[in-house]
Amino acid sequence: MAAERLFERSVCVQVRCQGCEERRLNVRVNIELLSISNPVHKKDLAVRLTDDTDPFFLYNLVISEEDFQSLKSQQGLLVDFSAFPQKFIDLLQQCIQEQNKDIPRFLLQLVSSAPVLDHTPVSLNVVETNPFKHLTHLSLKFLPGNDAEIKKFLASCLKCLKEDKIMLEEKLRKTEENLTRQLSYTQQSLSEKSRELDKLKNEWTSYTTALTNKHTQELTNEKERALQAQAQYQQQHEQQKKELENLHQKSVQQLQNRLSELEVINKDLTERRYKGDSTVRELKAKLSGIEDECQRTKQEVLSLRRENTTLDAECHEKEKLINQLQTRVAVLEQEIKDKDQLVIRTKEVLDATQEQKVILEESTEKKQSHIEKLETTIKSLSAELLKANEIIKKLQGDLKTLMSKLKLKNTVTIQQEKLLAEKEERLQKEQRELQETGQSLRMKEQEVCKLQEQLETTIQKLEESKQLLKTNENVITWLNKQLNEIQMAKKLETSAPTHGAVRSALSPHGLPDRPSFPSSGINHPLSPLYAFQNFAELAHNKNVSSQCPVPKVQCNTQLSKINPCSSVQTVAAASSHPANKENGGNLGLESKYFKKKDDSIPLRGLSQNTLNSEYLKPYLPTKAQPSPKAAVTPASAYFPG
């Protein structure tokens, strides 16, 4: 005989007994389809009503095909035997859906003719309520179970309980194994992560200390270099200033001595002396301008010092930022200690759960022994069934407590997993903060590079100021050379024996006329150097008879708008005059002012005021200024003694 279970659920039933009030009762309805093949193949529908709270509540109904035909004719059913179970199940499901409503549309009624449900036949009615009347769709009569059926039912219940118990024990064992595995895995992961944290801490501390030492050393080196450079620049500036003052004083003294001697020698040169005085005044004005420029350079040095002070303040701010970062690292270490304490607490909770597990195992063993004793008593004595039922109820309560404890264990494990996830998130946050601190340190390194670039720019500015001072020195030397050339021309005029012939060749201002060359395309006057050469040729033509040692002077003049390869070679003869010895040596400046310096530059740095001065106008060209390169013998060769 094979049984196929079609439906098994608890349904709320309205119980009606004779002479008693209506009451509601939860009844478990079990529908099975029994197929019997011996001796004839036939199918029966078995319906069983039980109560989970009352193990002696048992009502059975077996409907064969012949019984269904009589039921169909009695109640006017329109369904065959094959479709009847499904329709009956549909009616039960509609009752289940409507049982929670105040006025249900479909309901189940359990009607008994006796005042109490005590081993009396019962009818199960499926009733539909409408505003007009109660319609009974189906009415089935159930018979109460006898002692053998009740024993069989109780044995099946015990068998099901044992199977459920075995299943629960297997589930318990599997869950314990899974929990132990998860605990071991989590402990390993925690140990690995703690090691990684320690490594990261050590690396971070070493890295921060190295960076701080490196930056402090670099800052101290840069400060020392800047201080050394400032001291060097100040010393060089003071030395250059002293040299310029000494040179200026010497040149002024020499010019004054020269002017006094020229007043004694010739009264005709009074006009030229006034011009010389005007040039000296202009030079003094230029020197005052140069002194102003020196003051400006001093101001620039002061501004550079202020910038250095600002840089020191920025360095102090960076040190403060480093201290803040160190405090932040200490806070992070404190948080890690708190996390370690949390891990210890979770371990303690796990130990408590393991102790509870051991207690539960002992209780389960005791219960197993108790169940074995109960089985022996059931086989031996049928009279002790009542006691067995009470024990079964106790076991059910114990199982419920076990289930509740299992739920508590599951909640504890879930909380531990949440704590682990929170710890992982915190670790990720700490790693992000470490990356942000690394980025801030890189930004500080970039700022230090920018400060170094600013220092280099300030050094370049100081070098440019040095170059300006050098150009000013070159301008002063060039002016001294021009003055010396003028004085040499004056001396040649006074020393020539043929004074009248020379005066006819000179211009009204006392200098030789500057010839122009219309054939070569040069219409502008030539420089004073060319006039000096022309004057020497005139003196040579008129004093041929005088046999004196004649020094040769070779001058290469480069004029604007002339072929640069053209050169003029003149031979000038000048007789030694006794007046030179009487005047006591060279009438011009010292020979060091005639020497060409390697670091001299052409006449580019002169201002427009010096070029437009009255004294230099007759000697400068109107359109372009040539830079003559003349290989001239020293002045002592022309004026011995």
Side-chain angles (χ1 to χ4, degrees):
M1 184 175 68
E4 182 182 358
R5 185 172 292 177
L6 301 176
F7 182 80
E8 184 180 3
R9 283 187 72 178
S10 63
V11 185
C12 186
V13 177
Q14 189 177 5
V15 179
R16 284 185 179 183
C17 295
Q18 189 175 3
C20 296
E21 293 182 356
E22 294 181 357
R23 59 189 178 89
R24 289 182 176 271
L25 183 66
N26 288 321
V27 177
R28 184 172 292 279
V29 181
N30 190 358
I31 300 170
E32 293 179 353
L33 188 65
L34 303 174
S35 60
I36 300 166
S37 60
N38 192 12
V40 180
H41 182 73
K42 63 178 181 177
K43 289 184 179 180
D44 293 334
L45 182 66
V47 182
R48 184 172 61 202
L49 300 178
T50 57
D51 188 1
D52 294 335
T53 59
D54 188 4
F56 295 102
F57 184 85
L58 179 63
Y59 289 93
N60 293 320
L61 174 63
V62 179
I63 301 170
S64 62
E65 292 182 1
E66 292 83 6
D67 295 332
F68 179 73
Q69 294 299 326
S70 63
L71 182 66
K72 183 178 180 182
S73 61
Q74 286 175 6
Q75 297 185 10
L77 300 177
L78 302 174
V79 182
D80 295 333
F81 181 75
S82 61
F84 174 71
Q86 187 62 41
K87 293 293 180 182
F88 183 46
I89 290 166
D90 293 337
L91 288 171
L92 291 173
Q93 286 178 352
Q94 286 180 358
C95 293
I96 290 165
Q97 289 176 1
E98 297 287 333
Q99 67 185 359
N100 293 323
K101 294 181 180 179
D102 295 332
I103 302 170
R105 186 180 173 188
F106 290 91
L107 57 91
L108 284 172
Q109 289 181 354
L110 195 65
V111 181
S112 176
S113 58
V116 183
L117 294 173
D118 189 10
H119 301 287
T120 56
V122 172
S123 62
L124 183 66
N125 298 327
V126 180
V127 181
E128 181 182 1
T129 59
N130 56 19
F132 184 67
K133 64 178 290 189
H134 293 284
L135 295 174
T136 58
H137 288 283
L138 186 64
S139 179
L140 300 173
K141 289 183 180 180
F142 287 83
L143 295 174
N146 54 16
D147 292 339
E149 290 177 350
I150 289 168
K151 288 177 182 179
K152 187 178 180 182
F153 171 67
L154 289 172
S156 64
C157 288
L158 273 173
K159 187 178 179 182
C160 292
L161 284 171
K162 284 181 181 179
E163 289 176 355
D164 293 336
K165 181 189 169 188
I166 291 163
M167 291 290 290
L168 286 170
E169 286 177 352
E170 288 179 356
K171 285 181 181 178
L172 243 174
R173 186 173 55 76
K174 288 179 181 178
T175 51
E176 286 176 355
E177 288 177 356
N178 291 325
L179 285 171
T180 52
R181 286 175 187 172
Q182 288 178 1
L183 276 171
S184 62
Y185 178 72
T186 51
Q187 286 175 357
Q188 288 177 0
S189 61
L190 277 171
S191 62
E192 288 177 356
K193 287 179 180 178
S194 62
R195 289 172 187 171
E196 289 177 357
L197 266 174
D198 295 330
K199 286 180 182 178
L200 287 170
K201 283 180 186 177
N202 294 323
E203 289 177 357
W204 175 246
T205 52
S206 62
Y207 182 67
T208 50
T209 52
L211 278 176
T212 51
N213 293 323
K214 185 179 178 182
H215 286 304
T216 51
Q217 287 178 0
E218 289 179 354
L219 286 170
T220 53
N221 291 326
E222 289 294 330
K223 284 179 183 178
E224 289 177 357
R225 288 175 186 172
L227 292 170
Q228 289 177 1
Q230 283 182 358
Q232 288 178 1
Y233 293 149
Q234 286 178 358
Q235 290 176 0
Q236 289 178 0
H237 186 266
E238 289 176 356
Q239 289 177 0
Q240 289 176 359
K241 186 179 177 182
K242 288 178 182 179
E243 288 177 357
L244 285 171
E245 287 177 354
N246 293 323
L247 289 171
H248 177 63
Q249 288 176 0
K250 287 179 182 179
S251 63
V252 169
Q253 288 177 1
Q254 287 176 359
L255 286 169
Q256 287 177 357
N257 293 324
R258 184 65 178 163
L259 286 168
S260 63
E261 288 175 358
L262 287 170
E263 284 176 357
V264 173
I265 291 166
N266 195 359
K267 293 179 180 180
D268 296 332
L269 299 173
T270 56
E271 294 178 358
R272 294 181 183 178
R273 186 188 68 182
Y274 290 123
K275 290 180 183 178
D277 291 332
S278 64
T279 54
V280 169
R281 288 171 186 171
E282 288 176 358
L283 288 169
K284 286 180 179 179
K286 289 176 185 177
L287 283 170
S288 64
I290 290 164
E291 288 176 353
D292 293 332
E293 288 180 357
C294 289
Q295 289 178 358
R296 289 174 187 171
T297 53
K298 286 179 181 179
Q299 290 177 358
E300 288 179 356
V301 169
L302 290 171
S303 65
L304 289 170
R305 287 177 181 174
R306 290 172 185 171
E307 288 179 357
N308 285 323
T309 55
T310 55
L311 289 170
D312 292 330
E314 288 178 357
C315 290
H316 288 300
E317 289 177 356
K318 287 177 181 177
E319 289 176 355
K320 288 179 181 178
L321 285 171
I322 288 163
N323 291 324
Q324 289 177 0
L325 288 170
Q326 288 177 355
T327 54
R328 195 171 182 182
V329 168
V331 171
L332 289 171
E333 288 177 352
Q334 187 64 35
E335 288 181 357
I336 288 161
K337 288 179 181 177
D338 295 333
K339 290 174 186 175
D340 293 331
Q341 290 178 0
L342 284 171
V343 169
I344 291 162
R345 288 176 185 173
T346 52
K347 285 181 179 178
E348 290 176 356
V349 172
L350 285 170
D351 293 331
T353 52
Q354 286 178 358
E355 289 176 357
Q356 288 179 359
K357 185 181 79 174
V358 171
I359 293 163
L360 287 170
E361 286 177 354
E362 291 176 355
S363 63
T364 51
E365 288 176 357
K366 290 179 182 179
K367 286 171 186 177
Q368 283 179 358
S369 63
H370 193 61
I371 287 163
E372 289 175 356
K373 289 178 182 179
L374 285 171
E375 286 177 353
T376 56
T377 53
I378 286 164
K379 289 178 182 178
S380 62
L381 299 170
S382 62
E384 294 180 356
L385 283 170
L386 294 170
K387 293 180 181 179
N389 289 325
E390 291 176 357
I391 292 163
I392 288 162
K393 287 179 182 178
K394 289 180 182 179
L395 287 170
Q396 286 177 353
D398 293 330
L399 285 169
K400 287 180 181 179
T401 54
L402 284 170
M403 291 295 290
S404 63
K405 287 178 181 178
L406 281 170
K407 287 180 181 178
L408 285 170
K409 285 183 182 179
N410 289 324
T411 54
V412 169
T413 52
I414 289 162
Q415 288 177 358
Q416 287 175 359
E417 288 176 356
K418 287 180 180 178
L419 287 170
L420 288 171
E422 288 176 356
K423 287 176 183 177
E424 287 177 356
E425 289 177 357
R426 287 180 184 175
L427 285 170
Q428 289 177 0
K429 286 180 182 178
E430 288 174 356
Q431 288 176 359
R432 289 174 187 169
E433 288 177 355
L434 287 171
Q435 290 177 359
E436 289 175 356
T437 52
Q439 289 179 358
S440 64
L441 286 170
R442 289 174 187 170
M443 293 291 286
K444 288 175 185 176
E445 288 177 356
Q446 291 178 0
E447 288 176 358
V448 170
C449 293
K450 288 180 181 178
L451 292 171
Q452 288 177 357
E453 290 177 357
Q454 289 179 359
L455 282 170
E456 289 176 358
T457 53
T458 53
I459 291 163
Q460 288 179 0
K461 286 180 181 178
L462 286 170
E463 288 177 356
E464 288 176 358
S465 64
K466 283 183 183 179
Q467 290 179 359
L468 283 171
L469 289 171
K470 286 181 181 179
T471 52
N472 291 326
E473 287 178 2
N474 292 325
V475 168
I476 290 164
T477 54
W478 184 82
L479 288 169
N480 288 325
K481 286 179 183 178
Q482 293 292 327
L483 286 170
N484 288 325
E485 286 176 1
I486 293 162
Q487 289 172 3
M488 286 171 69
K490 288 178 184 179
K491 190 173 181 180
L492 286 169
E493 285 176 1
T494 56
S495 63
T498 59
H499 190 71
V502 171
R503 280 188 180 276
S504 64
L506 293 171
S507 64
H509 295 286
L511 291 171
D513 294 331
R514 287 173 285 181
S516 61
F517 297 91
S519 62
S520 62
I522 302 168
N523 294 321
H524 58 81
L526 295 176
S527 66
L529 183 61
Y530 185 82
F532 174 72
Q533 291 172 359
N534 198 359
F535 176 74
E537 286 177 359
L538 288 171
H540 179 69
N541 290 326
K542 289 186 178 181
N543 296 319
V544 175
S545 61
S546 62
Q547 299 295 325
C548 296
V550 179
K552 293 183 180 181
V553 179
Q554 186 176 0
C555 298
N556 295 324
T557 60
Q558 291 181 353
L559 303 175
S560 63
K561 298 182 182 179
I562 299 176
N563 189 3
C565 295
S566 64
S567 62
V568 179
Q569 183 175 4
T570 60
V571 178
S575 62
S576 63
H577 201 272
N580 293 330
K581 293 180 180 179
E582 291 175 0
N583 291 329
N586 292 330
L587 296 174
L589 295 173
E590 294 179 359
S591 62
K592 67 179 179 179
Y593 293 103
F594 294 100
K595 292 179 182 179
K596 186 178 179 182
K597 293 184 178 181
D598 295 331
D599 58 349
S600 62
I601 58 170
L603 186 58
R604 295 178 189 170
L606 284 175
S607 63
Q608 194 68 23
N609 294 323
T610 57
L611 293 173
N612 294 328
S613 63
E614 292 180 358
Y615 185 74
L616 297 173
K617 272 183 181 179
Y619 304 106
L620 295 172
T622 57
K623 292 183 181 180
Q625 292 183 3
S627 59
K629 294 181 181 178
V632 185
T633 57
S636 61
Y638 293 104
F639 308 107

